[in-house]
Amino acid sequence: MVTTYVNWNNARVKLSWQTDAQLPPRDLISSVHGFCFHNGKVLLVNLNHRGWDMTGGHIEAGESAEECFKRETMEEANVSGDCSLLGSIIVDHSENSQWNENSPYPKIGFQVFYRMDIKDIHDFDAGYESSERIFVDQEQVREYYHDWHELYEHILNYAANS
């Protein structure tokens, strides 16, 4: 297991990666993300208010984690493809002094990650949450991504070799 600490809104949050073929409990999944590949390149989107990022977001009512990832990827990048579950980041707020029972996320939650092999690239109109999409070499991702850290590096490497 790979673990790191991040500073989210001036609070210390522990993040740990776990490779897993099973999804965590639905009510503990806070978001779904992934790395999308096409011809050996990695997809990034320039999200409004966040900068360059991987695709992903929050699960809507009646939607599975995979359906969420596919929907978010279509909305943000206008691409579609085949997905495989990689695992999840365990988001542990136990050391977060700002977390309380009224917080929007569980004390210990999960960010689920998928790999998508892009099959269809549709015209991009920048009409939803993102203003641009690009395909970059795997080694370039960290140069674009606004909050890149060692856990993302580990997940990207794992995704690239899956």
Side-chain angles (χ1 to χ4, degrees):
M1 187 175 296
V2 179
T3 298
T4 192
Y5 285 85
V6 294
N7 184 347
W8 285 351
N9 298 322
N10 297 316
R12 181 177 163 93
V13 179
K14 181 180 178 183
L15 304 178
S16 301
W17 170 252
Q18 67 176 9
T19 303
D20 201 339
Q22 298 291 323
L23 286 171
R26 168 71 175 80
D27 61 328
L28 298 180
I29 299 174
S30 59
S31 59
V32 181
H33 308 276
F35 289 106
C36 303
F37 296 87
H38 182 70
N39 292 337
K41 304 273 189 180
V42 180
L43 169 73
L44 292 176
V45 289
N46 193 349
L47 295 176
N48 304 337
H49 313 297
R50 285 211 327 244
W52 291 105
D53 207 335
M54 66 193 89
T55 59
H58 299 284
I59 300 174
E60 294 182 352
E63 190 174 53
S64 71
E66 184 173 330
E67 289 168 339
C68 170
F69 179 62
K70 288 180 175 183
R71 175 185 52 78
E72 289 284 349
T73 300
M74 179 59 79
E75 290 174 355
E76 295 172 357
N78 230 19
V79 302
S80 57
D82 298 326
C83 294
S84 56
L85 178 63
L86 299 171
S88 57
I89 292 177
I90 303 166
V91 182
D92 185 346
H93 291 277
S94 298
E95 298 175 50
N96 177 353
S97 60
Q98 296 179 22
W99 188 91
N100 62 53
E101 296 296 329
N102 297 319
S103 293
Y105 300 112
K107 189 170 197 172
I108 298 179
F110 298 86
Q111 294 179 339
V112 173
F113 278 77
Y114 284 90
R115 174 196 166 108
M116 177 183 282
D117 292 305
I118 297 171
K119 301 293 182 203
D120 297 303
I121 300 176
H122 309 281
D123 290 341
F124 183 77
D125 61 5
Y128 192 66
E129 295 178 47
S130 54
S131 59
E132 299 174 80
R133 74 173 176 207
I134 57 172
F135 293 91
V136 300
D137 291 328
Q138 182 178 337
E139 299 76 33
Q140 293 178 288
V141 173
R142 70 187 64 77
E143 298 169 22
Y144 286 88
Y145 197 93
H146 63 286
D147 272 334
W148 193 252
H149 54 70
E150 64 185 294
L151 219 52
Y152 290 154
E153 185 76 27
H154 180 80
I155 298 166
L156 175 58
N157 289 333
Y158 180 68
N161 294 312
S162 291

